[in-house]
């Protein structure tokens, strides 16, 4: 359905857990407490939400987290979501570490595509930024996705000044022989962690500066990224620039956190209690979603005087 600004809202991002087997320094501080099990959306509640959403025109579901693959029963959940009438696409954002063991079953269950997060190609830096991760697992996941033709395979790189801006060309070079889309994402001012926005934010213009060969592709403002390629390279580069070039006028999404709160904007602190609505049977889910869509703001307020940083860290939202 359309919101007040004529945007067709048809994409629902559901965080299925706030737990994660990594502790990325810009996302989840070490020893962060997790929500109580009783506060988390159950499989049945997630399915009820998706069913309600499908009735008002949502057709794409992204499962995220925390790390979605640590949720018990995630494969069955994918398959049940995919079976709901009107849901054309079920996709996932993951750190990729547990993917090699589960990818074939996930594909069989109906998972269409995967976005993998990978902020450095250096194994030592990778271990540091993720709080102990092994880069080989992620590289294996990318190869598996390519072999299974779960295209396009997207690799998300959060650009951080002084951490990985010296690897921009290495990431671009990945697209030479591999049919992957490397998407540089600007660091966002969300929550509290070791990589404060003020110190580590770098505009995506840096990517264009370091690689003048990047050529903007036609019709390239698809979803949130603007796409480029280096002529004759197999893959593409995407720039997701919520800070330097916001894309709010084409925002088509709602977010549900793993504790059942609905967010109409990633960069706002407004949250609507969908969990309470379901558990106390307050109103039909479709009505709750419709009312929330009508309250979706025109744009975020980053760069404006009255901007207030989002309190939740990203692992408690889903990205
Ligand atoms: N664990 C999964 C993963 O890492 O892909 C899914 C959840 S994670 C919160 C989703 C995305 O948010 C990841 O690509 C991560 O890099 C990104 N992210 C986390 N904190 C961020 C921040 N402060 N600014 C920009 N992106 C962030
Ligand atoms: Fe976990 Fe993803 Fe956050 Fe890293 S970015 S700590 S993998 S939720």
């Amino acid at each position: 359905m359309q919101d007040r600004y004529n945007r067709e809202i048809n994409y629902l991002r559901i965080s299925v857990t706030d737990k994660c087997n990594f502790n990325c320094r810009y996302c989840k501080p070490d020893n962060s407490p997790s929500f109580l099990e009783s506060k988390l959306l159950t499989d049945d509640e997630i399915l009820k939400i998706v069913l309600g959403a499908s009735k008002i025109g949502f057709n794409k579901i992204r499962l995220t987290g925390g790390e979605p693959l640590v949720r018990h029963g995630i494969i069955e959940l994918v398959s049940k979501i995919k079976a709901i009438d009107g849901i054309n696409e079920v996709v996932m954002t993951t750190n990729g570490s547990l993917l090699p063991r589960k990818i074939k079953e996930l594909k069989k269950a109906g998972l269409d595509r995967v976005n993998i997060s990978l902020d450095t190609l250096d194994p030592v830096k990778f271990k540091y930024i993720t709080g102990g991760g092994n880069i080989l697992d992620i590289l294996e996941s990318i190869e598996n996705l390519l072999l299974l033709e779960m295209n396009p395979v997207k690799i998300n790189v959060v650009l951080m000044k002084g951490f990985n801006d010296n690897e921009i060309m290495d990431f671009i070079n990945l697209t030479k022989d591999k049919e992957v889309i490397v998407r540089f994402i600007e660091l966002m001012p969300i929550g509290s962690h070791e990589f404060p926005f003020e110190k580590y934010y770098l505009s995506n213009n840096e990517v264009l500066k370091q690689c003048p060969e990047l050529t903007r592709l036609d019709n390239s403002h698809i979803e949130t990224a603007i796409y480029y390629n280096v002529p004759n390279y197999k893959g593409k580069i995407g720039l997701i620039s919520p800070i330097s070039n916001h894309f709010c006028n084409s925002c088509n999404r709602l977010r549900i956190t793993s504790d059942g709160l609905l967010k109409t904007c990633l960069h706002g602190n407004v949250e609507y209690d969908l969990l309470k609505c379901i558990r106390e049977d307050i109103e039909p889910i479709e009505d709750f979603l419709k009312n929330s869509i009508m309250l979706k703001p025109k744009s975020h307020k980053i760069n404006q005087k009255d901007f207030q940083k989002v309190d939740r860290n990203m692992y408690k939202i889903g990205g």
Side-chain angles (χ1 to χ4, degrees):
M1 82 174 244
Q2 281 200 341
D3 72 356
R4 288 175 296 164
Y5 307 102
N6 303 322
R7 296 172 296 199
E8 190 65 38
I9 312 298
N10 54 14
Y11 172 21
L12 188 60
R13 298 176 64 105
I14 304 176
S15 173
V16 295
T17 180
D18 66 329
K19 294 194 181 65
C20 186
N21 54 338
F22 283 0
N23 292 302
C24 298
R25 288 171 193 266
Y26 56 86
C27 176
K28 178 174 174 277
D30 254 344
N31 302 320
S32 314
S34 297
F35 294 134
L36 292 174
E37 272 308 303
S38 60
K39 274 191 81 181
L40 292 182
L41 287 168
T42 64
D43 282 9
D44 281 349
E45 287 164 347
I46 291 176
L47 292 167
K48 269 189 199 160
I49 293 171
V50 177
L51 184 64
S54 71
K55 289 184 184 156
I56 61 164
F58 283 81
N59 53 26
K60 173 174 173 182
I61 305 292
R62 177 172 302 280
L63 301 179
T64 173
E67 173 47 44
L69 293 178
V70 303
R71 182 175 169 119
H72 183 68
I74 187 72
I75 296 170
E76 294 76 11
L77 185 61
V78 166
S79 122
K80 287 180 181 163
I81 292 176
K82 193 61 190 277
I84 292 175
D85 260 358
I87 301 302
N88 304 334
E89 260 192 303
V90 182
V91 297
M92 185 179 281
T93 300
T94 169
N95 64 33
S97 61
L98 303 171
L99 203 55
R101 300 178 223 165
K102 299 191 176 170
I103 187 60
K104 282 196 181 140
E105 279 183 276
L106 282 165
K107 185 177 180 191
K108 213 158 121 198
L111 188 70
D112 292 290
R113 283 183 297 102
V114 176
N115 292 358
I116 293 209
S117 305
L118 177 62
D119 301 316
T120 170
L121 294 169
D122 174 329
V124 176
K125 279 166 77 180
F126 184 81
K127 199 166 189 175
Y128 165 78
I129 195 76
T130 58
N134 181 351
I135 197 172
L136 294 179
D137 297 332
I138 322 306
L139 299 177
E140 184 183 345
S141 293
I142 294 169
E143 290 308 321
N144 286 342
L145 291 168
L146 289 169
L147 278 173
L148 291 170
E149 298 184 344
M150 292 177 77
N151 297 318
V153 176
K154 294 181 185 169
I155 300 173
N156 289 342
V157 184
V158 177
L159 191 60
M160 289 170 272
K161 184 159 63 186
F163 175 71
N164 58 6
D165 46 336
N166 60 343
E167 294 187 64
I168 289 175
M169 283 314 299
D170 299 335
F171 275 108
I172 292 175
N173 285 334
L174 270 189
T175 66
K176 187 169 185 185
D177 301 313
K178 287 190 200 303
E179 241 177 283
V180 293
I181 303 184
V182 172
R183 306 191 313 166
F184 291 98
I185 302 177
E186 291 180 343
L187 183 70
M188 302 175 216
I190 288 193
S192 313
H193 43 74
E194 270 182 66
F195 269 55
F197 175 78
E198 297 71 20
K199 186 166 170 202
Y200 288 93
Y201 167 76
L202 186 61
S203 154
N204 264 337
N205 289 330
E206 180 67 21
V207 177
L208 298 171
K209 211 161 95 188
Q210 288 195 25
C211 186
E213 298 80 24
L214 281 175
T215 307
R216 190 165 166 169
L217 299 170
D218 282 345
N219 300 326
S220 59
H221 206 132
I222 314 162
E223 295 182 24
T224 49
I226 298 183
Y227 286 99
Y228 298 79
N229 76 347
V230 175
N232 301 320
Y233 281 21
K234 283 191 175 163
K236 292 181 195 163
I237 300 297
L239 299 186
I240 302 185
S241 314
I243 318 297
S244 68
N245 183 15
H246 77 76
F247 38 79
C248 303
N249 54 359
S250 60
C251 181
N252 61 348
R253 60 201 61 192
L254 292 185
R255 294 179 163 80
I256 316 271
T257 64
S258 52
D259 57 339
L261 301 184
L262 185 150
K263 285 180 80 72
T264 51
C265 175
L266 175 59
H267 299 290
N269 276 311
V270 176
E271 299 169 338
Y272 301 106
D273 199 341
L274 179 55
L275 188 73
K276 184 167 177 206
C277 168
I278 297 173
R279 291 197 180 164
E280 296 180 14
D281 205 6
I282 294 174
E283 67 178 326
I285 291 171
E286 294 93 292
D287 292 349
F288 188 98
L289 294 175
K290 278 185 197 164
N291 293 335
S292 311
I293 288 174
M294 293 321 280
L295 294 168
K296 188 171 162 67
K298 188 172 183 195
S299 74
H300 68 57
K301 290 192 162 187
I302 305 176
N303 303 328
Q304 291 178 30
K305 266 199 194 135
D306 54 345
F307 171 66
Q308 285 194 326
K309 194 171 79 155
V310 167
D311 303 327
R312 279 181 184 245
N313 281 36
M314 202 70 114
Y315 75 99
K316 287 201 181 290
I317 303 175

